[in-house]
Amino acid sequence: MFRNQYDSDVTVWSPQGRLHQVEYAIAAVKLGTATVGLKNRDYAVLVALCKPPSELSASQRKLIPIDDHLGISIAGITADARVLSKYLRSECLSYKHSYGSAYPVSRLITNLGNKMQTTTQRYDRRPYGVGLLLAGYDEMGPHIYKVEPSANFFNCKAMTIGSRSQSARTYLERHLKTFNACSNDDIICHGIHAIRSSLPNDEQLSKDDGASQLNITIAIVGKNQPFKILTDQENLVYLNMAKERGTTSMPSKPQEDDDNSSFGDQPGTSTLHDPQVAVATKEN
Amino acid sequence: MFRNQYDSDVTVWSPQGRLHQVEYAIAAVKLGTATVGLKNRDYAVLVALCKPPSELSASQRKLIPIDDHLGISIAGITADARVLSKYLRSECLSYKHSYGSAYPVSRLITNLGNKMQTTTQRYDRRPYGVGLLLAGYDEMGPHIYKVEPSANFFNCKAMTIGSRSQSARTYLERHLKTFNACSNDDIICHGIHAIRSSLPNDEQLSKDDGASQLNITIAIVGKNQPFKILTDQENLVYLNMAKERGTTSMPSKPQEDDDNSSFGDQPGTSTLHDPQVAVATKEN
Amino acid sequence: MFRNQYDSDVTVWSPQGRLHQVEYAIAAVKLGTATVGLKNRDYAVLVALCKPPSELSASQRKLIPIDDHLGISIAGITADARVLSKYLRSECLSYKHSYGSAYPVSRLITNLGNKMQTTTQRYDRRPYGVGLLLAGYDEMGPHIYKVEPSANFFNCKAMTIGSRSQSARTYLERHLKTFNACSNDDIICHGIHAIRSSLPNDEQLSKDDGASQLNITIAIVGKNQPFKILTDQENLVYLNMAKERGTTSMPSKPQEDDDNSSFGDQPGTSTLHDPQVAVATKEN
Amino acid sequence: MFRNQYDSDVTVWSPQGRLHQVEYAIAAVKLGTATVGLKNRDYAVLVALCKPPSELSASQRKLIPIDDHLGISIAGITADARVLSKYLRSECLSYKHSYGSAYPVSRLITNLGNKMQTTTQRYDRRPYGVGLLLAGYDEMGPHIYKVEPSANFFNCKAMTIGSRSQSARTYLERHLKTFNACSNDDIICHGIHAIRSSLPNDEQLSKDDGASQLNITIAIVGKNQPFKILTDQENLVYLNMAKERGTTSMPSKPQEDDDNSSFGDQPGTSTLHDPQVAVATKEN
Amino acid sequence: MFRNQYDSDVTVWSPQGRLHQVEYAIAAVKLGTATVGLKNRDYAVLVALCKPPSELSASQRKLIPIDDHLGISIAGITADARVLSKYLRSECLSYKHSYGSAYPVSRLITNLGNKMQTTTQRYDRRPYGVGLLLAGYDEMGPHIYKVEPSANFFNCKAMTIGSRSQSARTYLERHLKTFNACSNDDIICHGIHAIRSSLPNDEQLSKDDGASQLNITIAIVGKNQPFKILTDQENLVYLNMAKERGTTSMPSKPQEDDDNSSFGDQPGTSTLHDPQVAVATKEN
Amino acid sequence: MFRNQYDSDVTVWSPQGRLHQVEYAIAAVKLGTATVGLKNRDYAVLVALCKPPSELSASQRKLIPIDDHLGISIAGITADARVLSKYLRSECLSYKHSYGSAYPVSRLITNLGNKMQTTTQRYDRRPYGVGLLLAGYDEMGPHIYKVEPSANFFNCKAMTIGSRSQSARTYLERHLKTFNACSNDDIICHGIHAIRSSLPNDEQLSKDDGASQLNITIAIVGKNQPFKILTDQENLVYLNMAKERGTTSMPSKPQEDDDNSSFGDQPGTSTLHDPQVAVATKEN
Amino acid sequence: MFRNQYDSDVTVWSPQGRLHQVEYAIAAVKLGTATVGLKNRDYAVLVALCKPPSELSASQRKLIPIDDHLGISIAGITADARVLSKYLRSECLSYKHSYGSAYPVSRLITNLGNKMQTTTQRYDRRPYGVGLLLAGYDEMGPHIYKVEPSANFFNCKAMTIGSRSQSARTYLERHLKTFNACSNDDIICHGIHAIRSSLPNDEQLSKDDGASQLNITIAIVGKNQPFKILTDQENLVYLNMAKERGTTSMPSKPQEDDDNSSFGDQPGTSTLHDPQVAVATKEN
């Protein structure tokens, strides 16, 4: 009697001009663990929480490399994300084959959006149930893009999606102005701080023993830095670095975050600034 | 018991001869932020409100360039608009390739309408949920077209679509007669005044500090002026110009608007009259 | 409980042998503004009301030229009409290309009917929601055809469709016998009188100041007269001519209409009898 | 609660082994005006009532010529009939092209039946809503066939379909034995008498003044007589002839009809016995 | 509330493992008039009741010749039967073309079954609503096959399908043992007796005056006897022969039927034993 | 209110992870008459009950030969079984054509399973409503496979499917260990005993008079023995042999069955051990 | 009234952003018998429970070899698993044909995931109702992957799926750290212990008499060890070995399991370490 008959078909408009199925797919993004993307002048960084479903298995990939100059982090239905990343990878490969250069990020994201739009207008498909943060670097500099199941995408300075991401968003907004001038170490630490604020109070990002099983993954891409997912060792270095630097885990004290912005004063200088190393490791 | 069984399928007529799904798609246009289109003797101008979803991300594009001689502003589902703009761009490219000249605006809009009509008659699609204002210039002069989800389009002297656009419409109707003879600066100021009237009273078009984060975007196309989306600096110039000129933010005093029409007495003369500059910037 | 389960699918017969969806589509025609078609011995004329949706935009096209020897006026869903007119135009072009002559009107209308019939029998489409009056001229003389969403068409002496067209129909029936011998001016005035009778009492066909914004459009086709939509100036001439000639705006006095039929005694002679002019303007 | 769930889909059998949708389509035939077919030894005749929808338009075609040796009269959805007649015409043309002779009537009707059967078994179509009487002549002599929406067809001596055709059927059954030996004039008069009996008492087949606007159409095909739809003048001749000959408009006196059968004693002799004339007119 | 949701789709199993739609299609067979098939050592015979829908039209064909060596009689939806017979005819033609001999009956019936099976498993079709009795003759001797809408077929000694066929079945079972040794005349008379038992008491197989309008049709096929539908004259001969021989119209006295089996003692000898005549008439 | 909405579509999972439509199709197998398959060291045997629907017609085939080295017995929808057997036959033919040898049984059954799986996952089909027992012989020895509508198959030592097959299953389990060493005569007698236990008490496998109308069919395939369906005479021999040997019709005394296993002590020796005879008869 | 309308279509999102149909398909995995996968440094092992449906038939295959370097064990719908294994096999074959080497496991599993994803987004299919554990070995070492109906897959150290697998999972988690250094014999014994903990208390893995009918199957793949399903004899050896070594059947005493890890101290050394033997047997 009270049921809403407009919300079970993506091709049916509600009388208010809404597509409920698209909105429900966006809800699927909120069920995924949080991920954060941010950038300084020359680099874009992705930080993702990844809770493995059990000790027995590795966690699902939250960060997916696409090409040397870009990668994504995801929140929502993993299988949908894989299909989209396969599309992105194939597009980049074709482009490189045809033009001998990296696919400009904004054009790639436009094509992705058009592909995703069709699932919001055809009756025999459902909208993709995944949100993406895309970190890329091209001639226009570093980019963070957010892509929604609605096929909308946003060019961002910093962004976070996924479960309880509102707190991380608050953190990012508070420190937004300092990001551009941050060093790479700083920007990664900001990402860690932001993602930590999306955790319930009693959870920690790594086990007490700092063991090999870390709960975050970090990726960076930028000037002379192909897209690279950090190793567990590197993750640990940054987790410790973030812990040392900050009472920033207390998002109620933004002034301290501002102080943090002076930690790294030289963009492009960080523990992973060596492109050779990065290129060597970028394959995994 | 009271539910309307004719309103969930675009291929089902109501007994009154209506297609409710098309009407609901039109409702989606009303959910978008307002945009205004208007023209003087030689130029067509689009002004759009763009509220960014958060500080973190750039606003969604409300103005989309299609070709040198035309562009659109949108209200409604952005992803749908992108698909339509891709179609328009591809059509213009083909035409230019085949005939070596710009696609005449009225013929292009007719083809767009035919494409959109199919989604109002096929059971496996939904009508596009976006309204377009198209600003173009060809041998017939400047054009403002309005395109609805119903696939109807209208050749307009001035038009506004989107949320609370009724106030802007009232403004436009009141000053309609003066537009043709306006200078470019004036016509842009009129557009700003019109769009401002669609705002709630306590919102302003730009932050108090006149910072780089503006809430409107402006585009112009016309005689010797390829379609150009103004830069934030230019936007700021016009926002200030409109503020100076007018108590026109009070739509209850139309006579003052009439006075405004004497500000710029020479169509084609404006702060952006230099085609070379425009061509150089028209790529973004 | 009382709902009619046979009326939401065009492929479902009601127990009484009716296709409700087709009937509902016919209702859509009644929602359009009225249009009138009529003919004398050598010419066919279309007169249409076009209420622009606002001062800001031009009215939607009610008259659509198809080929030199024919055009249509429409009532109902404009976007559907455009699709059908595109089909007609393409058919005429092919025919002319193949046979070097104009497509005979009756054969063209038969093909149109067959195309429209498929939408009344296939489950994945809806019937077109538009009625057409077609005015054409070929070796058989001038023609007025009426085409319904049911894919039925009728060869007419005079016809009217659209909102409140019953009054116009009464007018036409009353003066039907005089049409054949009318002059072109007279037949156009008859059309204006007929369309006026479909207006509510307090509306007028043109503004008091006789300004450029007229509410009717008129087209004519016939012997040595390619299909031509009259200009606003010409419309004004005929509006005035009709006003002078007639208290015919009072449909209760048909005898006066009969008098009118003597105004023009020479078919083919009118203010627009010059084919050269017509050819020149027929492109718009 | 009481609704019948088996009657809205042509692919669903009722528990009683019936296809309700086919039966409902047959009901559509009963909504059409009546038509009669009958034959003597060498000729087949079709007589149809055609009430024009208004004075303004010609009536819808009830008789449709297919080929020199056959034509149809219809009752029900006109647009469906047109599609079927197009099929028949195309089949005859192909046959003539391949074999140089006229398509044998019984084989043609079998193919038509097979084509119509598919609409009674496929879920995405509806059965055609039209009944046909086919009059043809081939080496086997003259034929009258009745085709139903169920795709059933019947080889008939005489037949009538459409609204209130039961009275006409009674007339035909009463005079059936005399038809074979009738003259052409007689058989046409019989058809007129039969069709008249399907009229309500107060309606007449022609206006009092015997004006050009007749309410019936007559066609004949047979030995050396290509299918010909009579002109209004010829119709009038036969209407008068029928009126003179008979109180046969009173179906309660069949003995008089038997007398009528002696009017024309020479089959093939009639007012339209001249094949040359017929060939000349068969194009319209 | 009590409705059975498993019975309106042929692709839906009931929890009991039944396909109700197939069962309902079988009910359609019971709505057709009865037909009987039986055989002696060398011949197979089909006898069918055919009630013409009215005096005006010939009855629908109950017997359909397929090839020289086989034909069918039908009960149920005639249009479905025609489609199936078209398929059979086309198969036989192809086979004869490829192999120069008649299609073996059992293989042909297997292919027919496979074709019919698809309509019992696909959602977009309905099962054929017709039952067939197939009479054929090949190197294996004479055959009677029964084919059901379920796509099941049965190799039969004698069989009857259609309305009230239970009584005919009882007759056939009672005399089954005598059939093999019957003469052709006897086996035809048995068929007539069987079909008569399916009639209500007050109906007769032929009019009192033994006129040309008979209510049964008979076909025979066998050794040196191509499939032949008997003429009305031959039907009459057998009707009279059956009437003379038997009080067998009283199925309560089976012993008399046993006596009948001695009427004809020589299989292959009958009033239609002349193959030349049969070949000559088999074309109609 | 209590209806289960998950059970009418094969593409819809129940919340418990079940596909009800597949389970219902399995119910269709239980509606078929029982059939038994079993094997000794070198031969596989199928025994099937076949109750003819009436005296008039032969029973439906329960045993279907596929190739020289294999055949099937069926329970459920016969028409579905025919379609599957056609597939199997075609596969065997292609294999033999390509490789010159018999299709290995396990690979063939895997392909059959994959074909059947598609009907359990596609919305436009229904699962096949038939269970198969497949008896085959290849280089791996004799095989009995059971195939279910779920597309599952089982490699079996002995198996039974169909109506009331539980009793037969009990019989088979009780004597399972003796089968491998049985003679061919014994294994056939075991099959007869097993199938008899699935009969209600008062039914018998053959008529009292041991007449030609037997109710079982038997097939054997194995070493030097192409798949052969026994003749009625051979069936009778085995029915009598089984009757003589056993009080084994009383399944409550399994120890006697064990004794039976000594009846035939030499596998491969039986009344039908002559391959030449078998080859000669395998064509029917 | 309480029914959930979002859970019967895989293309419909619930308002909470869930795809109920995918979750229901996952429930189908829980209906299958349990299977365990685990690995040491160089080998991956699969152990599966397989309860045969009856004594008469072999159990359904729980372990399916794909290629020399990998195989799967399954829980859920067997027919679905077969279709997926056919896909995997075909992919491996193509890869080997193209590149001359074994398909890298992680890439193969990605392609499998993409194939499975389509069934979670298309309306005309259902998600596969089967979970897979994949054991493979390539240049990266041994792998255990878990694949879910959601198209998600997980790289695992050890994993278990199927009915009551939670107890087995507890066992695996408790001994996880010891696996890497285990000998092959030990790792297999761990697998047996894990699978045993998923049994109800009163069931045993093999019959008391240690007869040939075992209830588990074991497979191993790794360094110089092509994928091999152990024979019943080998299974028996390991079952006994596991029984001797452990009170590990009591999962409440994990410390004893830790002791077990010292049983085999040399990875790669086991009763089946001989590759030649393995290669010879890997064909079955």
Side-chain angles (χ1 to χ4, degrees), chain G residues 225-242:
Chain G
Q225 171 62 58
F227 188 80
K228 177 192 173 186
I229 298 178
L230 303 197
T231 63
D232 285 355
Q233 286 70 23
E234 290 169 320
N235 285 344
L236 191 55
V237 167
Y238 281 109
L239 275 176
N240 291 334
M241 192 189 299

Side-chain angles (χ1 to χ4, degrees), chain A residues 5-6 10-17 19 113-114 117 120-121 123 150-158 169 176, chain B residues 3 7-8 21 24-25 27-28 31 53 55-58 60 78-80 82-83 86 123-129:
Chain A
Q5 62 173 330
Y6 307 106
V10 77
T11 64
V12 178
W13 291 99
S14 86
Q16 289 76 36
L19 292 170
N114 286 345
Q117 192 271 350
T120 70
Q121 197 174 18
Y123 85 107
S150 63
N152 271 3
F153 53 82
F154 301 87
N155 188 354
C156 301
K157 291 168 185 143
R169 182 185 303 253
L176 188 59
Chain B
R3 74 186 174 101
D7 71 347
S8 57
Q21 274 295 301
Y24 295 172
L31 298 180
E55 291 178 68
L56 299 175
S57 68
Q60 284 194 292
T78 309
D80 287 10
R82 262 200 333 267
V83 169
K86 185 185 173 191
Y123 84 106
D124 58 348
R125 301 294 289 270
R126 57 167 175 77
Y128 288 99

Side-chain angles (χ1 to χ4, degrees), chain C residues 103-124:
Chain C
Y103 208 136
V105 175
S106 72
R107 284 176 59 185
L108 177 62
I109 207 103
T110 300
N111 282 353
L112 175 66
N114 286 345
K115 175 183 168 66
M116 292 175 70
Q117 190 272 350
T118 63
T119 66
T120 69
Q121 196 175 19
R122 300 265 306 271
Y123 84 106
D124 58 348

Side-chain angles (χ1 to χ4, degrees), chain E residues 5-6 10-19 110 113-114 117 120-123 150-159 169 172-173 176, chain F residues 3-4 7-8 21 24-25 27-28 31 53-60 77-80 82-83 86 119 123-129 213:
Chain E
Q5 61 173 331
Y6 307 106
V10 77
T11 66
V12 177
W13 291 99
S14 87
Q16 289 75 38
R18 293 166 63 192
L19 293 169
T110 300
N114 287 344
Q117 191 272 350
T120 69
Q121 196 175 18
R122 299 266 305 271
Y123 85 104
S150 63
N152 272 3
F153 52 82
F154 301 87
N155 189 351
C156 300
K157 290 168 186 144
M159 185 47 70
R169 184 184 303 254
L172 292 175
E173 286 169 352
L176 188 59
Chain F
R3 73 185 175 103
N4 187 340
D7 71 347
S8 58
Q21 273 295 302
Y24 296 171
L31 298 180
S54 86
E55 290 177 69
L56 297 176
S57 69
S59 63
Q60 285 194 292
I77 304 286
T78 309
D80 287 11
R82 262 201 332 266
V83 168
K86 185 184 173 192
T119 66
Y123 85 105
D124 58 348
R125 301 294 290 268
R126 57 167 174 79
Y128 288 100
Q213 180 70 25

Side-chain angles (χ1 to χ4, degrees), chain G residues 23-40:
Chain G
E23 298 174 9
Y24 296 171
I26 291 176
V29 179
K30 301 220 177 84
L31 297 180
T33 54
T35 179
V36 162
L38 66 179
K39 61 180 178 181
N40 61 18

Side-chain angles (χ1 to χ4, degrees), chain C residues 156-174:
Chain C
C156 301
K157 290 168 187 144
M159 185 48 69
T160 176
I161 56 174
S163 173
R164 265 176 303 183
S165 57
Q166 184 53 49
S167 308
R169 183 185 303 255
T170 304
Y171 179 92
L172 292 175
E173 287 169 351
R174 195 167 286 154

